[in-house]
Amino acid sequence: FFYSIWKFVIYSKTILSIFEILLKKDQSLFEENSVEKRIMNFCEENKVALERHFMETLRFVSKSNDENPLQIIHIEYINPIVKLLLEYLGKIKYREIIILADNLDKTWDTHNDLSIQVDMLLSLFEVTGIIENELTKDSKNKTKLRVVLFLREDIFNYMLEHAREPDKLILYKHDIDWSNFPDKLKQLIEKRFQYVLELNETVNINDIWSEYFSLDPRMKKAAFERLQEVCLPRPRDMLLFMRQMFESAVNNSHDKVLEQDFQYALKQYAEFLYQNLIAEMSAAFPNIREILNALHKKYYDRIELEHLVSEIDKMPFNECHPVDALINSLVSNNYFELRNMGTGEKYTEYCIAREGLVESYSQVLFFKLRPKVPKIYAQLTPQYRGRFDQHNINNIV
């Protein structure tokens, strides 16, 4: 079922891409029965069907009254498209098809059967090999086919647990960590500036930052530096934050983005992050919202590591166990930082922080005593701290 849907979507988008190329050429050069002319006729006759994305096609097939809707899709669309593509690509010496798939997390609903959603995503990996074979048969020229999928880490990890060959997924995995490329991230944001403001390449982009932003000078930091401090290093997050700032500036009739607009965006962004966190963690921890709400009734900004473990142990949620898995997930999702307040050291995992905690105990004869002043805390990151008002943050338990 999923193979057929994916094949239809990939083939239809491929032939539509060729159709767009042919539209830019002189139509009078195409002979009536040429493959180019037949591709144009086929796309014009079936444009509505060919433009359907995955979910639209899935719904269309699911609601079809035909006895075998998949067979009809193959007969009316997939088979004719493959025939046209083989003939067209056979005339091209060097050819490569690259499939970019994004927004796949929109279908990830933890309230439904995730095994079906895993099958849907895994089938995309598998069907590309089938398509590559179909496009290279009866042809001396080989078609290279590559697929690039953008997936959330929690979805990828869930797929690993249910994949027949998880080692293959790991082999092709590439983590995108924008924190390693802050200059590239800044360039991307500035390119968006140029596009929205319709600026040419000769404009000094630094002038745009000073023209549109006037944040609190007491911070002694440029606008992008402030953004880096409060946003996760991802283009989507920074663009969202900037949109919220400009929204506030427009609504308050400001000529520039002021500190007031920055603080408004900070709170909105923190709420966005929080809801996103809940969605991403709910597959592994269905009661994560209740867990965090219970914690924040007592602790706002930070909590001593031992108290955190104790509080979680007392909660009536089986999903809280093992505790280390929950804490590690919160740390990897950038909700908490595990930090030694004495040395400033950050811990990437609970077990490492636990070792640091044990080392801080004082040895007295045969006993180890806890230090009078706790040193290792789980502390909210700046990105999430904006959810809580200043009164709550100043009254840290």
Side-chain angles (χ1 to χ4, degrees), residues 292-337:
L292 295 181
N293 285 343
L295 278 175
H296 290 303
K297 284 181 180 178
K298 292 184 177 181
Y299 304 92
Y300 297 105
D301 181 69
R302 65 182 184 180
I303 176 175
E304 187 186 345
L305 183 60
E306 285 188 309
H307 287 171
L308 175 62
V309 175
S310 175
E311 291 289 343
I312 293 175
D313 276 335
K314 289 188 294 185
M315 292 181 188
F317 306 120
N318 292 330
E319 290 78 14
C320 293
H321 305 285
V323 173
D324 58 342
L326 175 62
I327 295 176
N328 285 339
S329 186
L330 288 168
V331 171
S332 65
N333 279 285
N334 214 52
Y335 189 75
F336 278 145
E337 286 181 343

Side-chain angles (χ1 to χ4, degrees), residues 330-383:
L330 288 168
V331 171
S332 65
N333 279 285
N334 214 52
Y335 189 75
F336 278 145
E337 286 181 343
L338 299 180
R339 186 183 290 274
N340 188 316
M341 295 303 175
T343 64
E345 183 180 2
K346 283 176 63 176
Y347 306 101
T348 55
E349 295 182 18
Y350 168 73
C351 63
I352 302 175
R354 181 69 190 173
E355 288 176 6
L357 183 65
V358 172
E359 289 173 2
S360 70
Y361 287 4
S362 301
Q363 185 75 41
V364 179
L365 296 177
F366 301 105
F367 304 96
K368 283 195 171 185
L369 301 179
R370 295 174 68 251
K372 291 183 179 180
V373 179
K375 291 185 178 180
I376 299 181
Y377 282 84
Q379 181 169 347
L380 275 178
T381 58
Q383 293 83 10

Side-chain angles (χ1 to χ4, degrees), residues 191-243:
K191 283 292 183 183
R192 180 60 66 93
F193 269 149
Q194 288 181 323
Y195 174 76
V196 172
L197 299 175
E198 299 181 350
L199 305 176
N200 59 49
E201 297 292 332
T202 61
V203 172
N204 186 347
I205 202 68
N206 290 324
D207 294 339
I208 301 300
W209 287 100
S210 57
E211 182 180 348
Y212 284 89
F213 294 88
S214 182
L215 303 182
D216 191 343
R218 293 174 296 178
M219 302 297 293
K220 297 181 180 179
K221 291 182 179 179
F224 185 75
E225 289 180 279
R226 296 284 303 279
L227 282 172
Q228 282 183 298
E229 286 182 346
V230 298
C231 285
L232 294 179
R234 300 183 302 209
R236 175 189 66 177
D237 291 58
M238 286 201 166
L239 292 172
L240 173 70
F241 196 96
M242 294 181 73
R243 187 178 70 190

Side-chain angles (χ1 to χ4, degrees), residues 27-194:
Q27 311 295 305
S28 62
L29 298 176
F30 301 146
E31 295 181 6
E32 188 59 33
N33 199 38
S34 66
V35 64
E36 290 84 0
K37 192 70 174 178
R38 282 181 280 128
I39 287 175
M40 295 194 70
N41 291 339
F42 181 84
C43 290
E44 287 170 352
E45 291 170 6
N46 301 283
K47 200 160 189 245
V48 174
L50 296 178
E51 287 180 342
R52 291 192 188 109
H53 57 61
F54 182 88
M55 294 306 296
E56 286 176 328
T57 307
L58 190 148
R59 283 192 290 267
F60 172 78
V61 172
S62 301
K63 294 179 179 180
S64 175
N65 293 322
D66 296 306
E67 187 176 340
N68 193 337
L70 290 180
Q71 186 179 35
I72 292 173
I73 279 187
H74 276 269
I75 294 172
E76 294 188 2
Y77 300 107
I78 295 177
N79 294 345
I81 292 175
V82 171
K83 187 176 179 181
L84 288 169
L85 288 177
L86 283 172
E87 188 175 349
Y88 179 81
L89 295 174
K91 299 165 62 176
I92 302 172
K93 189 173 183 181
Y94 303 104
R95 63 212 192 176
E96 184 174 18
I97 298 173
I98 303 173
I99 301 166
L100 300 178
D102 201 2
N103 290 325
L104 296 173
D105 56 332
K106 287 187 176 180
T107 63
W108 194 255
D109 188 352
T110 55
H111 297 294
N112 294 325
D113 188 349
L114 289 181
S115 64
I116 296 175
Q117 297 176 71
V118 166
D119 285 342
M120 182 192 77
L121 295 176
L122 288 175
S123 63
L124 176 55
F125 282 102
E126 296 166 357
V127 79
T128 53
I130 297 172
I131 291 174
E132 192 169 28
N133 290 332
E134 288 182 348
L135 293 181
T136 54
K137 68 179 180 181
D138 302 327
S139 174
K140 295 179 181 179
N141 299 328
K142 297 296 182 182
T143 298
K144 292 182 180 179
L145 188 69
R146 287 194 289 155
V147 181
V148 180
L149 277 72
F150 296 94
L151 285 175
R152 292 195 328 234
E153 188 173 9
D154 63 302
I155 296 177
F156 181 81
N157 290 335
Y158 194 92
M159 287 173 61
L160 278 181
E161 295 176 7
H162 297 82
R164 290 188 294 272
E165 298 177 296
D167 54 316
K168 287 187 177 180
L169 292 182
I170 295 173
L171 181 64
Y172 293 112
K173 175 190 176 186
H174 296 279
D175 290 318
I176 300 176
D177 188 353
W178 284 91
S179 61
N180 295 328
F181 309 98
D183 292 338
K184 290 292 183 184
L185 187 55
K186 187 170 184 284
Q187 286 178 24
L188 190 148
I189 302 300
E190 290 173 346
K191 283 292 183 183
R192 180 60 66 93
F193 269 149
Q194 288 181 323

